[in-house]
Amino acid sequence: MSQMEKIIVVGAGLMGTGIAYSCAISGYRILLVDANPSALDKAVGQINSLVAAGVKLGKLVEAAGKAALERLEAAIELDGRASDAALLIETATEKIDIKLAIIGKADELLPPEAIIASNTSALSISELAAATRRPTQFAGMHFFNPVHKMKLVELIRGIETTQATVERLKAVTAALGKTSIVVNEAPGFTTSRMSALMGNEAMYMLAEGVASADDIDTSLRMAFNHPMGPLELGDLTGWDTRLSVLQYLHQTMGEKFRPCPLIIKMVKAGRYGRKVGRGVYEYDAEGQKIAGSGLRRAG
């Protein structure tokens, strides 16, 4: 898959925004699709800000930044503009019915040779692929947040995914300046499975009063050199998303993935994380953590 081909990103949340930006600055034409006009406007604004920041920091030549924005197009629905796309990346919420609806429509509109990839964190790639007439050209393409900084992409092979599809996605990943690993489909893949366990256990420790949120996160950052602690990461990912992943892993892999009750309480309370300004921590209008705001014994 060569650069200057079109990539469609469906979903203008944090992940979709980051993927669209990374693809645009790497030379691909991008169609960013979201049924929510305000989410779409916000995403385009964030992409403009990322380009401006890249130019200011000297990481992006001004002319290249301008060209990237010219390659970006936004739409509120997936339509005939999909007819010349080489790849569609679905980044919708971790609800299988929503993903299946998007993937089914994409299958009807994309050209026969196009690949469909899902950015799901844990759902079955084979089950998602079954909603298409091209299961051999379907795979998982799991990016990490923030996409423009994180270098890993998990490529997940479903039961019918061909090696040719994997190789094409490896080429895209390399063109984005990222490293890919190939995972044979399993619940939670590699990273989501490990991260879910760690974040869940951190929430149990918080609920039990073992340590404060700040101290739990500091322990992982300082002892194991993680860039952020598991509670900070949960706030960044979104506890609603993390709960969906844990519920799926609990259903498919058993008791060790049972969601901590505190996560369920937080989601019911609307404390999803950074995207709403409050999760384990609270955040200002710029998304910066407010010092001393971490939940303490909250179970």
Side-chain angles (χ1 to χ4, degrees), residues 142-162:
H142 184 206
F143 290 81
F144 298 85
N145 194 29
V147 177
H148 64 289
K149 293 182 179 180
M150 302 298 282
K151 295 297 186 182
L152 180 68
V153 177
E154 278 184 308
L155 301 179
I156 302 96
R157 189 199 306 268
I159 194 169
E160 295 192 67
T161 308
T162 63

Side-chain angles (χ1 to χ4, degrees), residues 2-295:
S2 63
Q3 287 168 291
M4 288 308 296
E5 288 187 299
K6 181 189 283 187
I7 294 176
I8 299 174
V9 178
V10 180
L14 283 173
M15 296 304 297
T17 300
I19 294 169
Y21 165 79
S22 296
C23 291
I25 65 168
S26 299
Y28 292 102
R29 292 181 292 130
I30 296 298
L31 177 64
L32 179 60
V33 180
D34 197 295
N36 185 336
S38 61
L40 204 56
D41 289 343
K42 181 179 179 181
V44 172
Q46 289 175 332
I47 292 170
N48 274 270
S49 295
L50 286 170
V51 168
V55 171
K56 184 177 180 180
L57 293 171
K59 296 180 179 180
L60 194 61
V61 177
E62 186 172 357
K66 182 180 178 182
L69 294 176
E70 290 173 350
R71 287 191 291 269
L72 175 67
E73 186 179 3
I76 60 170
E77 64 178 345
L78 195 58
D79 55 24
R81 283 171 287 186
S83 64
D84 62 343
L87 169 65
L88 180 141
I89 305 172
E90 169 276 312
T91 72
T93 185
E94 289 289 287
K95 303 291 184 184
I96 195 162
D97 55 336
I98 295 174
K99 289 184 180 290
L100 288 173
I102 292 169
I103 290 164
K105 184 173 183 181
D107 187 49
E108 295 174 1
L109 294 170
L110 290 166
E113 68 277 7
I115 292 174
I116 302 176
S118 175
N119 184 57
T120 180
S121 301
L123 297 178
S124 168
I125 296 303
S126 296
E127 185 174 358
L128 294 173
T132 78
R133 297 163 296 181
R134 63 183 85 203
T136 59
Q137 294 158 234
F138 193 101
M141 198 174 190
H142 184 206
F143 290 81
F144 298 85
N145 194 29
V147 177
H148 64 289
K149 293 182 179 180
M150 302 298 282
K151 295 297 186 182
L152 180 68
V153 177
E154 278 184 308
L155 301 179
I156 302 96
R157 189 199 306 268
I159 194 169
E160 295 192 67
T161 308
T162 63
Q163 186 60 32
T165 295
V166 171
E167 294 301 327
R168 288 173 70 188
L169 292 178
K170 280 184 178 181
V172 173
T173 304
L176 301 182
K178 301 184 184 300
T179 298
S180 61
I181 62 169
V182 180
V183 180
N184 290 317
E185 182 186 339
F189 317 137
T190 58
T191 56
S192 292
R193 187 166 164 179
M194 292 186 287
S195 179
L197 271 177
M198 186 166 57
N200 204 37
E201 188 61 28
M203 280 297 235
Y204 273 116
M205 289 194 292
L206 179 62
E208 293 164 9
V210 173
S212 70
D214 272 321
D215 286 347
I216 291 169
D217 279 334
T218 298
S219 71
L220 268 291
R221 282 190 273 105
M222 302 301 288
F224 301 105
N225 205 27
H226 291 194
M228 63 175 61
L231 302 176
E232 295 168 316
L233 180 59
D235 271 6
L236 180 64
T237 302
W239 290 104
D240 51 338
T241 299
R242 179 56 60 86
L243 179 58
S244 293
V245 171
L246 279 166
Q247 288 170 330
Y248 177 74
L249 292 174
H250 181 223
Q251 178 186 4
T252 56
M253 299 192 69
E255 266 315 286
K256 66 181 177 180
F257 289 100
R258 179 181 290 277
C260 175
L262 179 53
I263 300 176
I264 298 171
K265 288 181 185 179
M266 286 180 55
V267 171
K268 287 181 177 179
R271 296 187 72 104
Y272 301 145
R274 191 182 298 188
K275 61 187 174 185
V276 296
R278 61 183 195 147
V280 172
Y281 302 96
E282 294 182 5
Y283 300 86
D284 61 23
E286 283 71 47
Q288 298 300 309
K289 187 169 70 175
I290 297 172
S293 66
L295 293 175

